[in-house]
Amino acid sequence: MTAIELRGIERQADRALVERARDGDRQAFGQLIEPRVPTLYRSALSILRHEADANDAVQQACVDAWRELPRLRDPDRFDAWLGRTLVNRCRMILRSHRRVSVREVSVDTLTTEPGGRDRATDDWSGVDAIRRAFGRLSADHRIALVLHHVEERPVAEMAALLGVAEGTVKWRLHEARRALQRALQREDA
Amino acid sequence: MTRIVDPDPRLLRVALTPDPAAWPRGDLAAAILADVERTPQRRGLRVPLAGWLATPQPVALTRLAALGVTLLALVAWLYLLGQRPPTPVPLSNGDVFFVRGGDLWRVAPEGGEPVRLFETPDVLEFGPIWSPTGERAILITFPGDAPRMSMDVINADGTGRRHLAGPPEHVLASFAGDPSWSPDGRFVAFVRERKGFPRVAIMDVDTGSARIIDSPWPINDPSWSPDGRWIVGHTPGDVSSTVRVVTIDAETGQTIVVHTDRGRIGRMTWLPDASAVAYAIDRPDSNELHLLRTDGALERLDTGGLQPVEALLSPDGTRIAFAAAVKHCTAAPHVMRLDGSELVRLEGESWLAGWSPDGEWVIVTTEKPFDPLVGGLVAIRPDGSERRTIVPWTNQDVALESGSGYCNRERPSFSGIGWRGFRP
């Protein structure tokens, strides 16, 4: 059996699970969600840069997805639809930061290079500056940068996920880059 | 040090990608499924009606006609209903308003059955933020299917709800919120964010006319001084960012940076004589409680080593209530005098919600991660001598449909509570 055939079978199985979950089958929803939780969590962590917030976002997005699932017309669109729900939850959490402030340990796990590098070196100072500057960005700018540069989603896919035109996505990416540049200049100052 | 102004995509990816081994805290999947067990699905009429009409054509036409007549009757009934004056929600002075499950509720301060003022399943509500005269309040609204935040205003009896301000219709994701009333209750200062840049706007609540404050800095959390002269706000950022406290002259709109610091600033409240604002500042190494004078002089309040994350001055300005971090995602509310004396811990793991208008009570919300039915809305004397539960979360009416999140910082009851002021 080829990899393509396997993927086809997986898609069919997922479609069946979505249809069962849409009809109110909680067990099917559990089977659908469980393997996706780590990926959703890492997406949320990229956008929010905060472990507890990322947990909250994923949990709330999944409950939203369960509640609204009967409204999903095309089961094949489940993943894009779930991603959109998560992005909206991340936005809400970033908004709520205006009112709620909790002392938290920062995300030390935001490293990618195996073996780790000394944070005091110049190389890391650039990475840290980007992270600090990223923390100044708005929800939409964060989401655009993460979807494109971290998750490497093409513009068309981002447009489908965010529910906007491709031109809007391109403009948002452009704006997000400019906002990041301005934030980096402020960090430098 | 390497100076980076325009990072290349590879460096950006390195900086923003989480560790592939990053894993959710606790058993997140189990927590989600536990919430799902308690959450009903939202179902429309589309599917049953489709089945009902999927019959041979003559029968289907008859049924369709019957359905049309029924719909016409329903429209006529709704029209007639709309002609009748709305039934005002009875309201007594000093009622407590809170948001639970995205809807607004009212309850008497001595407790009793809460009353849901609005049931809007498609819109989450936050607030309310009462005008100083207690005559009307602003609700923050957030439609679940669109990333847009807006503001509505309601009368004290719950009637007259109307849209006050929101992002422009053509902007998909934007924000209008963080309202603060002028002392006379005529104007409201709020944040209007477009293209990721939050600006303060001042609006006449009756006429809807507004002006945007021009500022080189983004400003969040505006708070109007009791003498009406100043609006104070701060620049956004996280716990390690530089933050500026900015005052805006309410008359001229001129902005002045009065203090620069590092960290994330919580809600700011004014002393009643408008001489200073108090706030908690959240930093990676240590949190502090600040009293910042309008001339920029800063006083650090002694919290006895506690780590404040949120602070609110009492209405008479003699005491300050603050929530101090106790362990991961939990806090304990305390009250003390401004000189640090008479420090009292009010409650264990719970959150500070607000003062009563007469300063006789502090409201806290208690909630346990994973268990939304533990705790409630609790009023405690500032000296800790008396405690009463206003609403237990076990009350079936206000029990959260979706349950409480793991480390749920977006607690509706916390971000949305207001004790309406007594009428003069």
Side-chain angles (χ1 to χ4, degrees):
Chain A
M1 190 174 285
T2 66
I4 293 173
E5 285 170 333
L6 267 177
R7 274 200 292 276
I9 291 169
E10 279 173 9
R11 266 205 300 274
Q12 277 181 358
D14 275 357
R15 193 181 303 137
L17 284 174
V18 173
E19 283 168 352
R20 279 172 49 203
R22 199 170 54 179
D23 291 340
D25 184 337
R26 288 181 165 85
Q27 202 177 2
F29 186 74
Q31 287 176 41
L32 208 54
I33 285 296
E34 268 187 66
R36 287 168 169 81
V37 163
T39 312
L40 291 171
Y41 173 75
R42 281 194 287 276
S43 291
L45 189 58
S46 298
I47 295 167
L48 300 170
R49 296 200 323 144
H50 196 284
E51 291 169 0
D53 280 350
N55 254 313
D56 280 355
V58 173
Q59 183 165 358
Q60 289 162 0
C62 289
V63 175
D64 289 346
W66 163 254
R67 190 188 292 118
E68 302 296 332
L69 199 53
R71 296 182 181 192
L72 176 68
R73 288 180 193 166
D74 181 2
D76 290 335
R77 299 273 308 136
F78 177 75
D79 280 307
W81 178 76
L82 183 61
R84 191 171 176 172
T85 310
L86 179 70
V87 162
N88 279 342
R89 271 295 168 185
C90 290
R91 267 199 195 97
M92 283 191 70
I93 285 176
L94 286 169
R95 301 290 191 215
S96 74
H97 280 181
R98 295 167 194 280
R99 291 168 195 77
V100 185
S101 167
V102 175
R103 177 168 158 69
E104 276 293 336
V105 178
S106 63
V107 181
D108 289 324
T109 50
L110 279 168
T111 56
T112 52
E113 301 209 357
R117 290 168 69 175
D118 184 0
R119 275 177 175 251
T121 65
D122 282 349
D123 288 330
W124 271 117
S125 70
V127 167
D128 281 345
I130 292 172
R131 288 175 187 161
R132 284 197 304 274
F134 183 79
R136 293 170 178 272
L137 301 188
S138 71
D140 285 321
H141 290 160
R142 288 189 191 202
I143 288 162
L145 289 176
V146 167
L147 292 180
H148 193 66
H149 290 289
V150 177
E151 301 189 356
E152 296 181 314
R153 291 180 192 254
V155 169
E157 193 179 318
M158 285 175 66
L161 193 144
L162 297 171
V164 297
E166 288 185 29
T168 308
V169 171
K170 286 178 188 168
W171 175 250
R172 267 192 213 169
L173 273 169
H174 170 71
E175 287 284 292
R177 295 278 308 196
R178 281 184 53 193
L180 185 67
Q181 284 171 23
R182 285 196 298 270
L184 279 165
Q185 281 164 354
R186 256 183 250 147
E187 283 296 324
D188 197 50
Chain B
M1 183 179 283
T2 311
R3 185 186 173 194
I4 296 171
V5 176
D6 186 12
D8 69 53
R10 191 185 55 81
L11 185 61
L12 201 55
R13 186 156 190 257
V14 167
L16 302 183
T17 302
D19 186 343
W23 202 255
R25 291 184 190 179
D27 192 346
L28 184 54
I32 291 167
L33 295 179
D35 274 355
V36 164
E37 278 297 321
R38 289 189 286 262
T39 306
Q41 284 187 319
R42 190 174 291 167
R43 293 184 178 278
L45 287 170
R46 191 171 54 84
V47 175
L49 279 180
W52 189 61
L53 291 170
T55 51
Q57 204 176 23
V59 179
L61 284 174
T62 310
R63 287 184 172 182
L64 200 59
L67 181 66
V69 170
T70 309
L71 283 176
L72 272 175
L74 186 65
V75 168
W77 179 71
L78 286 174
Y79 174 77
L80 288 173
L81 200 67
Q83 299 302 303
R84 291 163 56 191
T87 311
V89 179
L91 204 69
S92 59
N93 283 336
D95 279 352
V96 176
F97 292 73
F98 64 99
V99 170
R100 188 83 172 159
D103 286 332
L104 182 66
W105 299 77
R106 172 178 60 80
V107 67
E110 57 273 14
E113 275 304 302
V115 176
R116 194 196 320 238
L117 291 187
F118 303 108
E119 190 166 0
T120 47
D122 293 330
V123 178
L124 295 177
E125 280 138 357
F126 299 89
I129 297 95
W130 284 101
S131 67
T133 56
E135 288 170 345
R136 48 192 175 180
I138 290 174
L139 298 177
I140 312 295
T141 63
F142 195 106
D145 58 349
R148 297 162 55 85
M149 237 179 201
S150 298
M151 300 191 301
D152 288 0
V153 65
I154 56 168
N155 295 327
D157 60 1
T159 62
R161 181 168 177 165
R162 65 184 163 91
H163 179 67
L164 189 64
E169 286 304 316
H170 65 278
V171 179
L172 179 75
S174 199
F175 172 81
D178 289 351
S180 175
W181 289 90
S182 65
D184 60 6
R186 286 180 55 211
F187 297 91
V188 64
F190 63 100
V191 171
R192 193 166 192 266
E193 185 177 296
R194 285 191 66 186
K195 295 182 179 176
F197 196 93
R199 290 184 190 281
V200 172
I202 297 175
M203 176 179 274
D204 183 319
V205 179
D206 294 316
T207 67
S209 63
R211 65 175 168 136
I212 308 277
I213 301 298
D214 190 27
S215 159
W217 307 279
I219 303 176
N220 275 342
D221 292 328
S223 177
W224 214 309
S225 65
D227 63 359
R229 191 175 166 202
W230 302 104
I231 297 164
V232 69
H234 60 82
T235 55
D238 64 16
V239 290
S240 56
S241 302
T242 300
V243 63
R244 294 177 176 84
V245 179
V246 182
T247 56
I248 301 166
D249 186 316
E251 188 68 37
T252 66
Q254 188 186 5
T255 57
I256 307 161
V257 174
V258 287
H259 179 63
T260 303
D261 212 320
R262 190 167 280 274
R264 186 165 62 199
I265 288 180
R267 278 186 288 185
M268 299 172 124
T269 50
W270 285 89
L271 280 175
D273 65 0
S275 62
V277 285
Y279 57 85
I281 185 160
D282 190 5
R283 301 199 189 96
D285 47 357
S286 72
N287 291 17
E288 287 175 357
L289 214 52
H290 287 179
L291 195 65
L292 181 66
R293 305 273 167 197
T294 44
D295 61 5
L298 182 74
E299 186 183 340
R300 288 180 179 81
L301 303 184
D302 180 10
T303 59
L306 295 167
Q307 300 287 315
V309 291
E310 189 82 19
L312 287 172
L313 282 166
S314 63
D316 66 0
T318 59
R319 286 164 297 183
I320 189 162
F322 63 95
V326 287
K327 60 182 183 182
H328 173 66
C329 286
T330 58
H334 293 70
V335 171
M336 66 177 197
R337 296 210 167 265
L338 296 189
D339 62 5
S341 64
E342 299 178 26
L343 177 65
V344 178
R345 179 176 160 129
L346 297 184
E347 189 83 353
E349 293 176 23
S350 52
W351 287 88
L352 181 65
W355 287 84
S356 64
D358 58 5
E360 293 293 318
W361 298 91
V362 176
I363 310 180
V364 303
T365 68
T366 59
E367 211 169 85
K368 298 276 184 197
F370 288 121
D371 198 346
L373 301 182
V374 173
L377 206 58
V378 178
I380 306 173
R381 294 279 186 194
D383 60 3
S385 62
E386 191 180 346
R387 177 189 190 279
R388 68 184 184 209
T389 299
I390 301 174
V391 183
W393 295 147
T394 45
N395 183 309
Q396 286 303 306
D397 287 332
V398 296
L400 269 184
E401 280 182 8
S402 59
S404 164
Y406 176 87
C407 181
N408 191 351
R409 288 170 46 174
E410 202 195 338
R411 61 198 68 242
S413 48
F414 177 64
S415 61
I417 186 163
W419 194 323
R420 184 173 158 247
F422 292 85
R423 275 188 181 142

